[in-house]
Amino acid sequence: MKRLIAIAAMAGLSATAASAADMASPVAGSAYDWSGFYAGGHIGIANGHIKATDVQQPSGGFFTDLVPAGTEGFDFSDTNIAGGVHVGAQYQWNQFVLGGEASWTATGIRKTIVSPYFPDSDTETGRIQHYATVVGRIGYAFDRVLIYAKGGYAGGEVGFKARDNDALVTYEQNDWHNGYAIGAGIDYALTDKLSLGVDYTHIDLGSKTSTGPNVFDNGSLGDNPETYKVKARADVVMARLSYKFGN
């Protein structure tokens, strides 16, 4: 799936570049000035992968002791819609464009699986609810066409839930993860104010280990708390529309 998304991203960037090239061929300087503050929205497709590993063996309750230590875990993959808002500022010097951008994106990434250890009773769910990025950008302008690369911080809220439907008990954690974002994209200035673009971003939210109680449906707590290490990442392709303020 990551290969498919990468191929889609490159195809989208190539198509946009080809279309833009018909309207603005490379020149020694750039007649259009990309400098200024901008804000906008984005929407697209995100492919996420989450892995939750029980690091408390042998006292945890959602796996079997027959599984070798360090391998008892759950994998989740889902492709879903994502969208949000972004703001940034940039400065153009000759044809080079330097800037920074912050974004917030909500995702529909959510996957529920049947437990490989107790398929008759247990289900597990992983999700990436939303993430934020703060990145630096460097680009090269061909008049109204801007090609750029970016990299910086990414943080997001990642959830994991394990459910025993026979015992009527649930373990759940929702934590903020910190990691990084890298990517590339292309923008085309439709007017002096509006630009349309395609953007690919790889989001790595790292891992986080959390301990919490098993909670029965009647509100009581189980005897053994659970400790899971959860890792998350996503590959995202977005269509972007931005408005540039000022002259």
Side-chain angles (χ1 to χ4, degrees), residues 33-38 88-100 137-141 146:
D33 187 0
W34 288 91
S35 301
F37 293 93
Y38 63 89
Q90 53 196 12
Y91 176 76
Q92 181 170 346
W93 180 73
N94 290 333
Q95 287 180 265
F96 291 96
V97 181
L98 300 177
R137 303 202 326 171
I138 181 169
Y140 194 82
L146 173 64

Side-chain angles (χ1 to χ4, degrees), residues 75-105:
D75 289 282
F76 311 90
S77 293
D78 184 38
T79 300
N80 218 311
I81 192 170
V85 294
H86 56 267
V87 296
Q90 53 196 12
Y91 176 76
Q92 181 170 346
W93 180 73
N94 290 333
Q95 287 180 265
F96 291 96
V97 181
L98 300 177
E101 182 177 289
S103 71
W104 176 87
T105 304

Side-chain angles (χ1 to χ4, degrees), residues 59-76:
S59 61
F62 289 100
F63 62 91
T64 172
D65 293 343
L66 298 177
V67 178
T71 65
E72 60 287 346
F74 308 99
D75 289 282
F76 311 90

Side-chain angles (χ1 to χ4, degrees), residues 104-197:
W104 176 87
T105 304
T107 88
I109 295 172
R110 179 187 179 95
K111 184 72 172 182
T112 298
I113 63 172
V114 174
S115 170
Y117 313 120
F118 303 104
D120 294 334
S121 61
D122 291 9
T123 58
E124 279 73 37
T125 301
R127 62 178 179 172
I128 301 175
Q129 301 178 65
H130 52 84
Y131 65 85
T133 66
V134 180
V135 298
R137 303 202 326 171
I138 181 169
Y140 194 82
F142 300 94
D143 197 13
R144 290 182 174 270
V145 178
L146 173 64
I147 300 173
Y148 63 85
K150 63 180 182 179
Y153 167 80
E157 187 171 357
V158 181
F160 168 67
K161 180 170 69 174
R163 168 74 176 175
D164 186 331
N165 295 294
D166 285 350
L168 302 180
V169 63
T170 301
Y171 167 83
E172 186 170 8
Q173 67 180 61
N174 293 283
D175 292 317
W176 186 264
H177 290 217
N178 296 299
Y180 67 88
I182 56 174
I186 184 167
D187 288 334
Y188 177 73
L190 299 171
T191 71
D192 289 345
K193 299 292 186 181
L194 289 176
S195 63
L196 182 66

Side-chain angles (χ1 to χ4, degrees), residues 1-10 46-49 77-79 180 200-204 233-237:
M1 183 57 70
K2 287 180 63 179
R3 292 179 180 176
L4 291 176
I5 285 184
I7 291 171
M10 294 303 101
N47 172 248
H49 179 75
S77 293
D78 184 38
T79 300
Y180 67 88
Y200 164 76
T201 310
H202 173 73
I203 305 290
D204 191 319
R233 66 178 186 270
D235 292 279
V236 188
V237 177

Side-chain angles (χ1 to χ4, degrees), residues 11-61:
L13 295 179
S14 299
T16 306
S19 175
D22 291 338
M23 294 176 280
S25 57
V27 292
S30 179
Y32 180 80
D33 187 0
W34 288 91
S35 301
F37 293 93
Y38 63 89
H42 51 266
I43 188 168
I45 297 294
N47 172 248
H49 179 75
I50 304 161
K51 182 176 180 64
T53 304
D54 194 319
V55 296
Q56 199 178 7
Q57 194 175 17
S59 61

